[in-house]
Amino acid sequence: MRDSRLNFRLPSELKEVIEEAAASLGQSVSDFAVSTLVRQARAVMHEQSVTVLSDRDRDRFAALLDDAEARPNSALIKAAQRYKQHLG
């Protein structure tokens, strides 16, 4: 169901570029704009949810996971408790 709208103004030169790109793909301007905006929005959301580690940090993290003697600190214990309360 299409029940929401986005309205914005842009320079006519940009509108022409968008119209040409949509036409080259055989799409309406609306379909082209929506698919492009959604694809970019999802990419932004993905980037915000992923933590990229350097090789050094990745190796350190993996070593800590493998350390049988490691014990969680109080911050980790509290975070786990909050997680369990929030998500069950």
Side-chain angles (χ1 to χ4, degrees):
M1 175 198 301
R2 294 183 176 207
D3 60 353
S4 296
R5 296 180 66 92
L6 285 175
N7 296 307
F8 50 88
R9 297 194 178 277
L10 65 156
S12 59
E13 304 85 43
L14 293 180
K15 183 176 182 264
E16 289 173 13
V17 170
I18 292 168
E19 289 171 337
E20 287 178 33
S24 74
L25 294 175
Q27 294 182 321
S28 69
V29 171
S30 290
D31 287 343
F32 177 79
V34 169
S35 65
T36 302
L37 286 168
V38 168
R39 185 174 53 251
Q40 185 62 29
R42 287 184 174 146
V44 167
M45 298 304 295
H46 176 74
E47 288 175 19
Q48 295 297 314
S49 68
V50 172
T51 301
V52 178
L53 300 176
S54 67
D55 289 345
R56 178 189 60 103
D57 290 342
R58 182 207 56 228
D59 293 344
R60 176 77 174 125
F61 181 73
L64 289 170
L65 290 176
D66 291 338
D67 185 354
E69 296 180 19
R71 297 290 173 252
N73 62 20
S74 62
L76 183 58
I77 291 169
K78 289 177 186 176
Q81 290 169 345
R82 285 191 309 272
Y83 176 83
K84 286 178 184 177
Q85 288 174 344
H86 183 66
L87 299 174

